[in-house]
Amino acid sequence: MRRFIAVMAISIIATACGSSGGSSSSSDGKTYVDAMMKSYDADGAKSGFTRSQAQCVAEGVVNSVGADKFKSSGVTPAELAKSGGDSPFSTIGKHLTQKEAEELVAVLTDGKCFNFTDLVVKQASKDSSGTFAKVAPAKVRCLFDELLANKAFKSAMVDSMLGRKSSSDAFKNAFGNQSEIFNIMGKCKLAPNELSN
């Protein structure tokens, strides 16, 4: 599933320099959507996304930015379809504008294609060594529902996507005022000692 998520993020990041021609219903657009779905099938991402959710995200990405932008960014369907390995496009986020990055965060978190919190809860329940391994699913759900409603959290996602800061630095800066994060944790009855790492 990690590969599929990476492909979705890469597709968005690598091509989000403004809308261009070639929607998901065009010949070229369908080629890119099909490539993302091949990655979904090869990656075993079914444990995280249903096929309809994956299709929704793939089509949403292509509709937002256009198949032409994929081409001009040098992103081929073959690169999106292959499974395994790291993406060569991880630094392209540095070329996004603030607005573009905010739109990308919305694509991943607005709930139109999938529920971000549901995905986190599902993955947390399967990761026996992760940060939330010892946390009850209801508390994880509460935490991420609160975080997604928090402007600082969304800003940190934008900063990370833009490459302004590493993910960890972005979130540390977002919650430099620890009282805010402790307030959120208090709402969710989540004690710091319940978190791993």
Side-chain angles (χ1 to χ4, degrees):
M1 188 181 99
R2 287 180 180 175
R3 168 65 187 173
F4 177 71
I5 292 174
V7 165
M8 291 294 99
I10 290 158
S11 312
I12 296 169
I13 290 170
T15 60
C17 300
S19 183
S20 188
S23 71
S24 64
S25 61
S26 71
S27 177
D28 285 342
K30 286 179 181 176
T31 300
Y32 279 99
V33 170
D34 289 346
M36 291 182 222
M37 294 309 294
K38 282 181 183 174
S39 174
Y40 170 86
D41 291 331
D43 194 42
K46 300 173 186 69
S47 61
F49 293 92
T50 65
R51 172 163 277 280
S52 62
Q53 288 171 332
Q55 185 85 20
C56 175
V57 173
E59 289 176 357
V61 169
V62 174
N63 285 333
S64 294
V65 301
D68 291 350
K69 187 62 70 174
F70 277 96
K71 290 180 180 179
S72 65
S73 298
V75 181
T76 68
E79 287 172 310
L80 293 180
K82 67 183 177 184
S83 63
D86 294 325
S87 162
F89 310 110
S90 59
T91 62
I92 296 180
K94 294 178 182 178
H95 302 290
L96 299 177
T97 66
Q98 178 79 18
K99 183 179 178 184
E100 287 164 350
E102 288 171 357
E103 289 173 356
L104 299 185
V105 169
V107 167
L108 298 174
T109 62
D110 67 7
K112 288 181 182 175
C113 293
F114 68 96
N115 184 297
F116 189 89
T117 301
D118 283 349
L119 184 65
V120 172
V121 171
K122 191 179 291 187
Q123 291 310 300
S125 69
K126 294 178 181 178
D127 189 354
S128 61
S129 61
T131 302
F132 303 105
K134 300 175 183 176
V135 182
K139 292 184 181 182
V140 177
R141 179 174 299 282
C142 174
L143 176 65
F144 277 88
D145 281 343
E146 290 289 332
L147 288 173
L148 287 173
N150 185 284
K151 288 183 180 179
F153 182 78
K154 290 277 186 82
S155 293
M157 291 180 79
V158 169
D159 282 344
S160 177
M161 212 171 257
L162 287 170
R164 291 172 176 164
K165 302 178 181 78
S166 68
S167 294
S168 60
D169 286 343
F171 292 109
K172 281 178 187 174
N173 288 349
F175 294 106
N177 176 2
Q178 291 189 348
S179 64
E180 189 172 7
I181 191 66
F182 280 117
N183 181 46
I184 291 173
M185 291 174 72
K187 281 184 184 178
C188 298
K189 298 182 171 136
L190 177 60
N193 62 8
E194 291 181 84
L195 302 175
S196 303
N197 305 317

